[in-house]
Amino acid sequence: MPEIQDISARRASLSAEQRARLKERLRGAHVAGTRETESAIPPRPQKERAPLSFAQRRQWFLWKLDPARTAYHLSGGLALSGNLDVEALRAGVQALVDRHESLRTVFREEGDGEVEQVILETLPVALPCIDLSTLEAGAREAAIEHEVRGIRTEPFDLTRGPLMRTVLLKTGAQAHRLLVVMHHIVSDGWSVQLTLDELAAQYAARVQGRPMAQPALPVQYADYAVWQNQWLEGGEGERQLAWWRDHLGTEQPVISLHTDRPRNADGRYGSARVTVALPADTVARLRQQAQGQGATLFMALLAGFNALLFRHTGQTDARVGVPIANRNRAETAGVVGFFVNTQVLRARIDARMTLAELFVQTRETAIGAQTHQDLPFEQLVGALRPERSLSANPLFQVMFNHVRRDHRSLAEWPGVSVQRLDFEEEDAQFELTLQTLELEDGSVEATLLYASELFDRETVERMAGHYLSVLRALVERPQQAVGDVVLV
């Protein structure tokens, strides 16, 4: 399942001195001690329905435009080996749906065109178990691939639900695969990790015959949606918007990568990927360099991506979309829902700028964005009014996503060995996305997700090599000009 980089994790990785710097910036933006009390999210008075959050409104618009599109399906699963208790698993999935309103939510459009969330009081979980274990090996693999593709590509009906689908495949005497697909309108990468952790705990409690003690959630996602709509009517939304206006300016250039084939008018493309492992010594030196300059590994990797974009486009004004978890309020930390927000981080580059100067600029931009992270991307688009086109995403056309993987809950399934299953995206959300994956052992993989109709694989493989060259130059020759980095 796709994961979204965690802003809380980024903060946690800062040294005490760096956190103090960020705290001072936050104090400069807010009156100390007032934010939590003024912005606390209260339970909504009307429990069965609520307005859409701003992120949900965009998802609804995209779904109405093309209900069959799979680009916003979050899909993945678990490979389970051992004596699996299927009924305990089914009960655990049902407990997730019972606990989190988002997983019982559908969307209804009224006669005036207004859309609202409708929270179903109950929603029985269907967990069909398909036995493929008796098939010959080749036929079994083909059947698994068929079932995976089917559950991932089946369109969701946002007006009827359910918006989470689960299927259990029996692939051997003691081997199963749990497949899960959720629509992005009710979930995000943080939510994926929540469901994995809670499902492990629910399953263990049932198998071991003990009660599952979970504190009640302080709020649900619909409470957040009501709060967000009210919050934006106050002055804080305007204050944050003023910062973003100043950061992005009045012109919103479209980044134009050199493609191997012409772009489609509708901007729809299939997805492919190229993955490379970052050299361990380069990663270690990037971390050391970042810590020495009050920055994080995320900022160093983004600075390298900015340099790469300049070298591949020649454009001096680069805009990169960066998803953030947007869970900076304690009451939202344990809630399944679509909280993730997207920031547009701007880099102004010229050929004679040094890599060190670009790194400092990227650090300052990222810290500034963190202190103005609440403004919904959709509000920013509406305020800046960039030229709209089906062939280009507004405000940015490439994305950078830094992910930290946490697999600790996979070891908490009694009597079962569990591995996570990740599937490649069917549709490309953007022409190019760089996703850096930071694993538990500290190693980092870089994946370039690209529109397969636009780029040849060889082109993207060269681009991945160029990215490694830029990162190597950043640690070995930080005073080198961006335009002088040897990419081959």
Side-chain angles (χ1 to χ4, degrees):
M1 299 181 183
E3 297 172 275
I4 305 300
Q5 66 88 9
D6 171 16
I7 194 168
S8 299
R10 273 202 265 158
R11 283 177 169 172
S13 69
L14 295 172
S15 67
E17 180 183 350
Q18 293 160 6
R19 285 196 296 271
R21 274 187 70 207
L22 179 58
K23 187 174 181 181
E24 286 304 311
R25 293 200 176 214
L26 288 167
R27 283 177 174 168
H30 305 280
V31 178
T34 63
R35 176 170 180 144
E36 287 301 320
T37 55
E38 290 180 359
S39 299
I41 301 173
R44 66 194 186 280
Q46 192 177 17
K47 292 300 181 185
E48 70 277 6
R49 58 190 65 236
L52 275 61
S53 69
F54 279 81
Q56 285 182 323
R57 292 179 196 180
R58 177 167 171 79
Q59 283 292 314
W60 173 263
F61 170 78
L62 292 170
W63 177 77
K64 292 279 285 186
L65 201 63
D66 188 356
R69 192 177 186 192
T70 65
Y72 297 98
H73 292 191
L74 303 181
S75 59
L78 299 174
L80 306 132
S81 302
N83 186 23
L84 179 68
D85 186 331
V86 176
E87 288 308 311
L89 176 61
R90 180 177 283 109
V93 176
Q94 182 67 63
L96 282 175
V97 174
D98 293 342
R99 177 172 170 79
H100 296 280
E101 287 182 356
S102 283
L103 302 180
R104 293 182 275 114
T105 297
V106 295
F107 298 83
R108 303 275 166 80
E109 191 168 19
E110 301 301 318
D112 58 2
E114 286 295 315
V115 187
E116 60 183 6
Q117 301 183 65
V118 178
I119 295 87
L120 306 178
E121 187 174 348
T122 60
L123 182 63
V125 167
L127 181 62
C129 185
I130 302 172
D131 191 350
L132 307 176
S133 62
T134 60
L135 298 176
E136 179 270 330
R140 183 167 61 247
E141 287 305 312
I144 291 172
E145 185 176 338
H146 173 77
E147 294 296 338
V148 169
R149 183 170 181 81
I151 189 174
R152 295 186 64 215
T153 59
E154 180 185 349
F156 283 102
D157 184 345
L158 302 192
T159 67
R160 297 183 61 187
L163 302 184
M164 180 178 78
R165 292 194 294 263
T166 55
V167 172
L168 186 65
L169 306 180
K170 184 176 182 180
T171 58
Q174 288 201 324
H176 294 79
R177 295 192 187 188
L178 175 66
L179 310 179
V180 182
V181 183
M182 295 181 280
H183 196 282
H184 207 347
I185 200 169
V186 296
S187 186
D188 58 16
W190 183 296
S191 300
V192 168
Q193 189 66 51
L194 277 177
T195 57
L196 287 177
D197 294 347
E198 288 193 14
L199 184 57
Q202 290 282 356
Y203 179 84
R206 283 164 173 78
V207 168
Q208 295 167 353
R210 54 181 173 80
M212 177 63 190
Q214 280 185 300
L217 291 171
V219 296
Q220 293 280 352
Y221 183 79
D223 300 320
Y224 165 80
V226 171
W227 169 86
Q228 185 193 56
N229 280 270
Q230 295 172 347
W231 176 86
L232 286 169
E233 295 174 359
E236 180 62 14
E238 284 299 319
R239 189 195 68 79
Q240 294 201 17
L241 176 59
W243 187 89
W244 286 104
R245 284 184 187 275
D246 182 64
H247 171 58
L248 296 176
T250 56
E251 299 294 326
Q252 310 303 326
V254 173
I255 197 164
S256 185
L257 291 161
H258 300 298
T259 63
D260 296 307
R261 284 169 292 280
R263 290 175 170 84
N264 298 337
D266 63 1
R268 288 198 55 180
Y269 306 102
S271 178
R273 63 175 58 202
V274 168
T275 298
V276 294
L278 301 190
D281 62 328
T282 300
V283 172
R285 293 177 68 179
L286 282 172
R287 282 199 180 95
Q288 184 179 24
Q289 187 180 65
Q291 290 171 0
Q293 299 196 39
T296 63
L297 179 62
F298 155 80
M299 297 173 190
L301 296 172
L302 175 58
F305 190 43
N306 285 332
L308 179 73
L309 292 173
F310 171 75
R311 292 296 299 270
H312 273 260
T313 66
Q315 293 175 248
T316 59
D317 193 340
R319 316 294 177 96
V320 176
V322 177
I324 62 163
N326 197 27
R327 305 272 186 151
N328 56 326
R329 288 173 174 78
E331 60 265 50
T332 64
V335 180
V336 170
F338 186 19
F339 291 92
V340 66
N341 196 15
T342 303
Q343 296 178 340
V344 186
L345 302 189
R346 179 185 188 186
R348 282 165 282 192
I349 315 170
D350 65 71
R352 305 323 304 160
M353 170 184 280
T354 67
L355 291 167
E357 289 169 340
L358 177 57
F359 184 23
V360 169
Q361 181 190 133
T362 303
R363 178 197 67 194
E364 294 302 298
T365 296
I367 292 176
Q370 284 183 4
T371 62
H372 301 86
Q373 65 176 284
D374 297 291
L375 187 76
F377 173 73
E378 295 72 23
Q379 283 284 95
L380 186 61
V381 172
L384 297 183
R385 298 184 180 277
E387 185 176 340
R388 303 302 290 267
S389 167
L390 288 176
S391 63
N393 191 71
L395 299 186
F396 69 92
Q397 294 74 48
V398 296
M399 177 168 274
F400 174 72
N401 186 15
H402 185 60
V403 175
R404 286 182 172 177
R405 179 148 292 180
D406 185 351
H407 280 163
R408 285 173 294 180
S409 66
L410 301 185
E412 298 172 1
W413 292 66
V416 183
S417 175
V418 182
Q419 288 185 321
R420 184 162 170 166
L421 298 174
D422 292 306
F423 303 117
E424 295 189 5
E425 291 80 1
E426 298 283 336
D427 293 342
Q429 292 187 28
F430 305 96
E431 291 184 3
L432 183 69
T433 296
L434 172 62
Q435 178 170 291
T436 50
L437 175 61
E438 194 172 351
L439 302 171
E440 289 92 337
D441 61 3
S443 62
V444 178
E445 292 179 350
T447 297
L448 286 170
L449 305 167
Y450 63 97
S452 55
E453 290 89 346
L454 294 182
F455 300 99
D456 293 330
R457 182 176 179 85
E458 293 77 10
T459 299
V460 181
E461 287 174 343
R462 282 196 301 273
M463 195 180 295
H466 296 170
Y467 183 59
L468 295 181
S469 297
V470 169
L471 294 180
R472 193 178 303 114
L474 180 58
V475 296
E476 294 178 357
R477 297 177 297 279
Q479 296 307 317
Q480 186 175 33
V482 173
D484 292 344
V485 176
V486 178
L487 297 180
V488 179

